[in-house]
Amino acid sequence: MVDLLVTGGAGFIGTNFVRYWADRHPHDRITVLDSLTYAGKAANLDGLDQVRLVRGDIRDTRLVCELLATGIDTVVHFAAETHVDRSIGDPDIFLDVNVQGTHSLLKAARQTWIDDGDGRPHRFHHISTDEVYGSLGPDDPPFTETTPYAPNSPYSASKAASNHLVRAYHRTYGLQTSVTVCSNNYGPFQFADKLIPLCLINCLTGKPFGIYGDGMNVRDWLHVDDHCRGIELALLGGRSGETYNLGGDAALPNLAVIDLICNGVDRAFRADPSLAGRFPQAFAARGQRSATLKTYVADRPGHDRRYAVDTGKIGAELGFRPRCAFEDGLERTIAWYLENESWWRPAPGS
Ligand code: NAD
């Protein structure tokens, strides 16, 4: 049995992970620590009896120590500021939360498990992003775990710094750690400021959406369920002190992803005429193509051109393979947003 602290467990990937873990490990205790920023929702965890949500900040080291002292032996650390555009406009909060916040957790873990602890087995698992490796040229090989870090945005720089801190706590203090470095995720519960839900919701509400530059920036997409399974493998079988890359073998230019979403929405409206009544502002409700809403805007400063992830290490050591093909996962994601309008539609007056 594992006694888990999941930070950021009310955000996109955290929610999916808590639900995934609760389903497969019904006897484990799960404590979620989340400050419920714009990206976190307490209601995401409704109906999960084995989960306790603590509203609090990862930078509050005393609170984290109190939580760890209740018997927690495993931290899975998702909590972060995560939106690259926001990090360009307001980098300070990214350094505060992603760097200081991670350090606060590491300090609490060291104090509880090593300094005051009884040496029992523990694990501090850190969730990171392929953006720490920087940008690839068209013919460069995919990122491996030994690719030198070259972050290009305040977000990715803050994530790179947090990865280094996790490594340092393993090497210096003997903290039992692991890190998964993952490509772009998609699936249910993702806040509407990220590419896939933004484009999808704008299709449903008839609003144009901006495409940076020429739209040919390439991202590798991993369904969030596959990410959760990769984390589970690394947590239960991964070697302490190691980093494992996770990716979906689904590298696509942003424009191709957007076209798949637009076509998927148009198809859903053709298949279910009741959608036109529920989403009357959608172009698809009038039989027009959602792709008409595409608008090209000036490129983002420091915009990475291409990411691709080599998942050979976690494949060979832990048997990880992505199971969800991108087109299938995208169709399921579109269906989830169509079925869960009240989750993403702002309440009247908010
Ligand atoms: P998200 O923005 O949807 O959720 C972040 C969560 O952290 C929210 O619930 C928020 O309330 C919480 N949080 C923020 N600051 C906090 C603080 N100071 N204390 C406590 N809680 C706080 O993010 P996400 O997309 O689910 O990403 C989760 C993790 O996965 C992040 O570390 C991110 O860097 C990493 N990651 C994300 C992706 C992706 O495609 N989304 C890919 C690779 C890695």
Side-chain angles (χ1 to χ4, degrees):
M1 259 179 69
V2 178
D3 195 339
L4 280 175
L5 176 68
V6 180
T7 73
F12 162 46
I13 307 174
T15 292
N16 282 282
F17 177 78
V18 169
R19 291 182 161 277
Y20 176 96
W21 198 275
D23 194 38
R24 282 158 186 80
H25 306 273
H27 302 298
D28 288 355
R29 194 172 69 127
I30 305 173
T31 304
V32 168
L33 175 62
D34 198 302
S35 60
L36 301 179
T37 67
Y38 75 95
K41 274 190 198 207
N44 289 354
L45 305 175
D46 281 355
L48 298 173
D49 293 340
Q50 79 205 78
V51 177
R52 175 168 80 118
L53 171 63
V54 176
R55 185 173 189 171
D57 199 303
I58 56 168
R59 291 167 290 180
D60 183 347
T61 313
R62 188 145 43 137
L63 169 65
V64 180
C65 283
E66 281 168 18
L67 294 174
L68 293 182
T70 63
I72 287 165
D73 52 27
T74 304
V75 170
V76 186
H77 174 34
F78 294 95
E81 287 292 333
T82 60
H83 197 264
V84 176
D85 287 359
R86 289 175 190 257
S87 85
I88 294 169
D90 183 11
D92 294 69
I93 183 76
F94 283 73
L95 297 187
D96 279 352
V97 172
N98 299 358
V99 185
Q100 300 291 0
T102 301
H103 190 228
S104 161
L105 292 169
L106 289 164
K107 277 193 296 183
R110 174 193 165 199
Q111 187 181 317
T112 311
W113 290 333
I114 295 176
D115 295 350
D116 303 341
D118 53 10
R120 72 198 149 110
H122 60 262
R123 179 60 71 92
F124 186 102
H125 185 82
H126 180 56
I127 309 297
S128 196
T129 165
D130 59 357
E131 301 188 32
V132 298
Y133 298 124
S135 185
L136 292 169
D139 301 320
D140 289 338
F143 303 127
T144 70
E145 289 79 0
T146 55
T147 301
Y149 286 7
N152 290 318
S153 72
Y155 164 66
S156 51
S158 69
K159 292 297 293 185
S162 66
N163 294 6
H164 288 316
L165 283 168
V166 174
R167 177 189 159 87
Y169 266 67
H170 173 72
R171 302 285 288 207
T172 303
Y173 303 113
L175 196 70
Q176 292 162 23
T177 62
S178 44
V179 179
T180 40
V181 175
C182 190
S183 62
N184 278 37
N185 281 219
Y186 68 101
F189 297 104
Q190 188 169 30
F191 189 73
D193 62 355
K194 300 284 169 55
L195 178 72
I196 288 181
L198 177 76
C199 172
L200 173 49
I201 290 169
N202 281 23
C203 286
L204 298 179
T205 52
K207 293 190 189 127
F209 42 86
I211 299 168
Y212 282 130
D214 61 1
M216 294 310 285
N217 302 64
V218 174
R219 300 291 179 264
D220 172 57
W221 292 94
L222 181 71
H223 191 274
V224 68
D225 287 347
D226 276 330
H227 188 182
C228 293
R229 196 163 42 79
I231 297 167
E232 181 186 39
L233 288 169
L235 252 187
L236 300 181
R239 288 177 292 140
S240 177
E242 289 297 318
T243 295
Y244 297 94
N245 281 352
L246 284 167
D249 288 338
L252 288 167
N254 289 342
L255 204 50
V257 173
I258 289 166
D259 283 334
L260 284 170
I261 297 168
C262 293
N263 293 339
V265 169
D266 294 351
R267 226 178 12 256
F269 275 69
R270 282 197 299 275
D272 179 358
S274 76
L275 291 177
R278 286 178 50 212
F279 303 103
Q281 281 140 347
F283 277 27
R286 303 189 289 276
Q288 291 170 343
R289 292 174 57 241
S290 298
T292 319
L293 292 162
K294 289 192 293 195
T295 314
Y296 289 87
V297 299
D299 208 356
R300 172 165 84 196
H303 200 181
D304 290 334
R305 191 65 178 168
R306 175 176 165 245
Y307 304 137
V309 183
D310 182 332
T311 58
K313 180 176 173 182
I314 194 163
E317 276 190 31
L318 302 173
F320 174 81
R321 299 269 177 288
R323 289 179 181 161
C324 182
F326 183 69
E327 280 78 1
D328 296 344
L330 188 63
E331 202 168 310
R332 280 200 275 140
T333 304
I334 293 173
W336 188 87
Y337 279 84
L338 286 171
E339 281 160 22
N340 291 279
E341 184 185 353
S342 61
W343 185 87
W344 54 263
R345 178 93 70 184
S350 68

